[in-house]
Amino acid sequence: MNAGVIGIGRYLPEKIITNLDLEKRMDTSDEWIRTRTGIEERRIATDDVDTSDMAFEAATKAIENAGITAEDLDLILVATVTPDQPFPSVSCMIQEKLGAKRAAAMDVSAACAGFMYGMITAKQFIENNAYKHILIVGVEKLSKITNWEDRNTAVLFGDAAGAVVMGPVSEGKGILSFELGSDGSGGGHLYQNENDHIYMNGREVFKFAVRQMGESSESVIEKAGLKKEDVDFLIPHQANIRIMESARQRLDLPIEKMSKTVHKYGNTSAASIPISLVEDIEEGRVKDNDVLVMVGFGGGLTWGAICMRWGR
Ligand code: UT7
């Protein structure tokens, strides 16, 4: 029994904040942001839209795209570090709103690697034959924990939600291999501080990210019994174009074989991989039978990677 993706969906807030908008608010420049991060603009949710609202929108689309109903769901996993409140979980909130009467629900806290943790958790239940349909949502409303006075972090983040439905797929397709990891000793490099704002030691996270993205990508390719040249497409966590480029170069992939949405949406933490996946599918960059590598890293520190063959 192989576990794969059978439905996709996403939600992006309409409101766009450009680098030029930020120039007016703080001591920064479009030039600095673009050259250091690759970001040109990001989406920000309005006050009346919370994390669960975005998660619900993305989930509804993924369920419809999978050709199932909410009542077919066995489990809902929501990866987020910006829940509406500590409890009840966002997953329980959307369980009710979706009408997913049979589903168990829990949130996954692994920061920007959360979506990888969610998909890999779902894989276990499906391959053990315990559950058939699992909804995984990566969602963040980072704008509510952003310190808009801190140029070191305020220019980086955005709000979004991405979702997949996972279920059994045909032999040879779905998740071929995975890797998960953590290093709590690096927790002080990226955390929510006593003012409830994001604190980040950018340089330390950068070094960790470059090392981990490359190592984890190579590791899942090897575990899948494949070689670098078998990889059709790389979907890295969209934190910084320079970090993404280092992973792409390590896999010797041409530029058109890497997902890139960071310029439009910034770093959306747990949402970044699924919103990129949706765009790559919709715009035809990822096709049936393609070998994909998805790789993420984040606060914790945490990391996770998946090698999969796309299709049902
Ligand atoms: O999702 C996972 C979490 N996050 C990440 O993956 C982020 C990882 N880190 C990074 O992407 C990069 O470290 C940053 C983009 C955050 C920073 O880039 P950097 O090349 O590492 O810059 P830096 O921190 O070394 O700062 C260089 C200079 C500093 O000035 P001084 O001390 O050299 O005079 C900063 O004060 O740039 C300054 N600076 C800014 N200048 C204009 C920092 N932020 C800004 C800004 N606008 N927004």
Side-chain angles (χ1 to χ4, degrees):
M1 184 79 73
N2 290 0
V5 172
I6 63 168
I8 55 167
R10 70 173 180 176
Y11 170 83
L12 289 158
E14 272 172 31
K15 188 174 171 193
I16 295 173
I17 307 256
T18 65
N19 291 349
L20 297 175
D21 295 330
L22 291 176
E23 271 187 13
K24 291 178 202 143
R25 284 171 75 157
M26 62 188 78
D27 181 18
T28 189
S29 66
D30 172 52
E31 208 263 331
W32 191 96
I33 304 170
R34 266 190 299 106
T35 53
R36 297 291 179 120
T37 72
I39 300 167
E40 292 164 23
E41 56 187 49
R42 69 286 291 140
R43 302 295 178 95
I44 300 292
T46 46
D47 288 345
D48 57 333
V49 174
D50 211 336
T51 302
S52 64
D53 301 309
M54 296 194 288
F56 173 75
E57 295 296 330
T60 304
K61 289 188 190 134
I63 292 165
E64 192 191 315
N65 185 254
I68 63 166
T69 69
E71 293 195 25
D72 295 321
L73 292 175
D74 299 297
L75 175 65
I76 299 172
L77 299 170
V78 175
T80 187
V81 291
T82 50
D84 298 36
Q85 57 212 43
F87 66 92
S89 60
V90 175
S91 49
C92 277
M93 296 173 84
I94 65 168
Q95 180 270 338
E96 196 262 327
K97 220 168 158 184
L98 291 167
K101 294 198 182 80
R102 294 175 43 251
M106 68 172 171
D107 285 3
V108 178
S109 177
C112 306
F115 196 75
M116 294 293 90
Y117 270 77
M119 279 187 72
I120 293 161
T121 303
K123 167 187 153 70
Q124 316 307 322
F125 284 109
I126 293 163
E127 292 185 359
N128 286 338
N129 233 337
Y131 289 146
K132 194 165 175 208
H133 294 124
I134 304 182
L135 171 70
I136 305 103
V137 185
V139 56
E140 302 290 2
K141 190 180 179 187
L142 291 164
S143 59
K144 67 182 175 185
I145 59 165
T146 298
N147 178 0
W148 293 102
E149 308 294 312
D150 176 16
R151 69 176 185 173
N152 291 297
T153 53
V155 303
L156 303 176
F157 300 106
D159 301 335
V164 299
V165 174
M166 282 178 61
V169 292
S170 40
E171 211 181 313
K173 294 198 171 168
I175 296 180
L176 306 173
S177 63
F178 71 89
E179 176 170 293
L180 287 175
S182 71
D183 176 11
S185 74
H189 297 324
L190 178 53
Y191 60 93
Q192 191 172 349
N193 69 18
E194 56 284 2
N195 298 321
D196 283 339
H197 286 142
I198 301 167
Y199 165 83
M200 183 170 72
N201 179 339
R203 281 183 201 178
E204 284 303 320
V205 177
F206 192 97
K207 282 191 278 178
F208 154 71
V210 167
R211 190 181 65 245
Q212 206 54 58
M213 295 273 265
E215 280 176 11
S216 296
S217 301
E218 286 185 349
S219 157
V220 289
I221 294 166
E222 197 189 317
K223 283 183 192 170
L226 298 174
K227 297 204 163 56
K228 283 181 193 177
E229 49 271 31
D230 298 321
V231 176
D232 295 298
F233 206 69
L234 170 68
I235 307 184
H237 169 45
Q238 309 275 313
N240 182 321
I241 191 70
R242 290 150 57 210
I243 299 171
M244 294 158 54
E245 276 295 306
S246 75
R248 180 181 73 76
Q249 282 161 13
R250 188 138 160 194
L251 298 189
D252 299 324
L253 283 173
I255 201 151
E256 64 276 9
K257 289 196 169 190
M258 180 176 77
S259 185
K260 182 178 164 246
T261 60
V262 68
H263 58 301
K264 291 190 284 188
Y265 311 129
N267 179 350
T268 60
S269 184
S272 95
I273 291 178
I275 64 171
S276 300
L277 172 70
V278 173
E279 195 155 307
D280 296 323
I281 301 281
E282 286 179 353
E283 295 179 5
R285 283 182 293 275
V286 170
K287 298 171 290 297
D288 199 43
N289 261 321
D290 277 356
V291 172
L292 310 185
V293 170
M294 302 182 195
V295 58
F297 64 92
L301 301 167
T302 55
W303 61 91
I306 285 173
C307 182
M308 72 184 297
R309 190 174 292 279
W310 189 253
R312 296 180 71 162

